[in-house]
Amino acid sequence: MSRTNKNSYIWDVPTRVCHWALLVLFVFSWWSGREGGMFLQYHMLSGYCILSLVLFRFFWGIFGTSSSLFSNFLFGPAEVWRYSKTIFHKNSVRYFTHNPLGGWAVIVMLVALLLQVITGLFANDDLFNEGPLYQYVSSQVSDFFTGIHEVIANFLIGLILLHILVIAFYQFWKKQHLVRAMITGYLSEVPEKSRVVPVTLWRALFFLVLSGSIVTLIVSL
Amino acid sequence: MNNGILRILFLFVLMSVTQYVHSDPKPDDAVHYRQGILMALGWNVSPMGAMVKDKVPYDAERFRFLAKRLALLAPMASEGFIESSSSAESDTRPEVWENLEDFNQRFAELEKVSSDLAAITINGEREAVVKQFIATVNVCKDCHDNYRVKR
């Protein structure tokens, strides 16, 4: 990890931990969901963790640090269009948070994850596993949610593959080392005003506990 | 009554009986029949699953009772998959009718694992029972994955 003068801090610890934890949990959920049977208990636990992290990320997009704030990376259609037209240029305008397209991709991914967990709460496996809110819906509705749950799972796989492709494109074509940035927090050639000033981790912990509590409340209804 | 009329009557009775015996079940009846049996299988699997997952306390006697019923029901379901019902509305995927041999093999497998489960519950330790229960539901799941319409 090099921390030369040229490298500046853009992703704080909570955002990075959230990102990689979501990846690990998603892979585990995907695997355990396919295995089914006894693994579904852990699949559900993993889903609760994902829901907590997604809620946390929404909080962090409002109360977090500058690069993670929705208000700093969600742009209007004009800006998105302008950026889209230059995406294949090696020297397109650089953003030191999510770019105008990537920002909306974040929202799409978070909302997809949110819907995925919500449908999972009502799902059933036709054998002996049911989501914690299964009891509140008819078995037809539960079957419907189960079907949607599988569709969104595939949609998420597609989104993640697209995400990896785009990151590779930035890495090798545009020479922007975004993977390293998401691991170490540091990116090169960041203007002073775009640097992130980390805040105390207590703030993140507070929102994490808050999110976790909300999820615990929901699943124990 | 003379012999001739008796004979004719007898013939009619015989014809109607054989007619009844030979007439195939209606396709939608076959669908309802197998759905009923499969529903009953699930009905018994659910509380066993709850015990296996420790959602409710493990009760060996109740488990034995449920497993016995499961073993009793398991051989009954495949009967409902008659070919005339292949186009009747159900959650059966068309692949069933193209792979009837494999499909029936799965029911034979279910019959075996569920009767093994019932046998184990008589004297078996919880651990062995759980292991066999998982083997049993995996047969259910594999078949659903291959032959049941996606929801």
Side-chain angles (χ1 to χ4, degrees):
Chain A
M1 185 166 66
S2 61
R3 295 193 186 190
T4 63
N5 287 337
K6 292 183 75 184
N7 285 329
S8 307
Y9 204 49
I10 61 156
W11 299 122
D12 65 351
V13 172
T15 305
R16 283 180 282 144
V17 170
C18 186
H19 174 274
W20 296 112
L22 278 176
L23 173 67
V24 171
L25 289 166
F26 180 83
V27 170
F28 176 77
S29 294
W30 182 78
W31 173 81
S32 55
R34 290 195 72 95
E35 285 295 312
M38 296 297 286
F39 291 104
L40 288 183
Q41 300 169 75
Y42 311 112
H43 177 82
M44 288 190 238
L45 279 179
S46 176
Y48 306 159
C49 293
I50 289 177
L51 182 56
S52 306
L53 285 175
V54 169
L55 289 181
F56 167 79
R57 187 61 188 85
F58 280 118
F59 283 127
W60 209 239
I62 301 165
F63 306 107
T65 49
S66 58
S67 64
S68 301
L69 295 178
F70 295 135
S71 56
N72 282 345
F73 68 74
L74 294 182
F75 298 90
E79 189 76 21
V80 173
W81 177 239
R82 205 173 313 143
Y83 183 78
S84 308
K85 283 192 296 191
T86 66
I87 191 166
F88 293 106
H89 301 178
K90 270 187 172 156
N91 298 313
S92 58
V93 182
R94 290 192 66 180
Y95 290 82
F96 300 94
T97 169
H98 304 287
N99 67 54
L101 259 182
W104 286 108
V106 170
I107 299 298
V108 169
M109 212 169 314
L110 287 176
V111 169
L113 282 171
L114 189 66
L115 289 176
Q116 181 64 344
V117 182
I118 291 173
T119 51
L121 294 174
F122 297 95
N124 74 83
D125 76 337
D126 243 352
L127 295 169
F128 60 99
N129 292 289
E130 296 97 24
L133 304 186
Y134 172 80
Q135 49 181 315
Y136 296 105
V137 294
S138 69
S139 40
Q140 282 97 325
V141 170
S142 173
D143 282 354
F144 174 74
F145 277 130
T146 308
I148 303 284
H149 195 66
E150 285 185 27
V151 171
I152 303 179
N154 291 327
F155 176 68
L156 275 165
I157 298 267
L159 268 183
I160 290 165
L161 291 179
L162 179 69
H163 175 53
I164 293 170
L165 268 176
V166 172
I167 294 292
F169 170 74
Y170 274 79
Q171 181 89 17
F172 299 114
W173 174 256
K174 301 184 124 180
K175 306 287 182 211
Q176 297 180 23
H177 304 289
L178 303 182
V179 179
R180 193 187 64 192
M182 193 46 86
I183 294 171
T184 66
Y186 287 85
L187 190 68
S188 56
E189 296 157 39
V190 180
E192 194 74 44
K193 66 174 174 59
S194 301
R195 293 178 188 175
V196 164
V197 182
V199 294
T200 166
L201 289 179
W202 291 110
R203 195 197 293 190
L205 193 67
F206 169 78
F207 287 113
L208 191 61
V209 170
L210 179 63
S211 308
S213 308
I214 294 172
V215 173
T216 309
L217 208 70
I218 293 171
V219 303
S220 52
L221 274 177
Chain B
M1 258 188 287
N2 70 34
N3 231 357
I5 292 174
L6 256 180
R7 258 189 212 168
I8 290 168
L9 264 177
F10 181 69
L11 198 67
F12 272 125
V13 169
L14 198 67
M15 274 169 68
S16 60
V17 167
T18 53
Q19 179 62 34
Y20 177 74
V21 168
H22 285 184
S23 77
D24 284 329
K26 290 200 179 306
D28 50 341
D29 280 344
V31 171
H32 287 147
Y33 168 77
R34 69 198 192 217
Q35 285 175 342
I37 299 290
L38 289 163
M39 173 66 82
L41 287 168
W43 182 269
N44 290 285
V45 164
S46 266
M48 284 194 273
M51 282 190 251
V52 165
K53 291 186 296 180
D54 282 320
K55 296 268 177 204
V56 298
Y58 183 75
D59 175 346
E61 198 172 324
R62 177 153 165 72
F63 205 104
R64 192 179 310 135
F65 171 75
L66 294 163
K68 209 169 111 186
R69 281 211 304 214
L70 195 71
L72 211 66
L73 288 161
M76 296 165 69
S78 64
E79 220 176 279
F81 290 89
I82 53 170
E83 289 206 64
S84 66
S85 68
S86 62
S87 51
E89 181 160 345
S90 76
D91 290 339
T92 310
R93 270 194 235 171
E95 283 86 339
V96 166
W97 314 107
E98 294 151 17
N99 308 291
L100 264 182
E101 202 174 318
D102 174 64
F103 185 68
N104 286 322
Q105 179 55 41
R106 287 164 188 272
F107 269 117
E109 180 69 18
L110 180 67
E111 197 174 328
K112 189 187 175 307
V113 288
S114 59
S115 84
D116 285 353
L117 177 64
I120 286 174
T121 55
I122 295 172
N123 286 312
E125 292 295 316
R126 181 179 191 268
E127 204 178 316
V129 170
V130 167
K131 210 175 145 217
Q132 188 60 30
F133 174 76
I134 292 167
T136 306
V137 292
N138 278 340
V139 175
C140 302
K141 180 186 165 8
D142 282 347
C143 193
H144 287 179
D145 287 350
N146 285 287
Y147 291 116
R148 201 194 133 118
V149 167
K150 277 201 191 304
R151 296 175 292 178

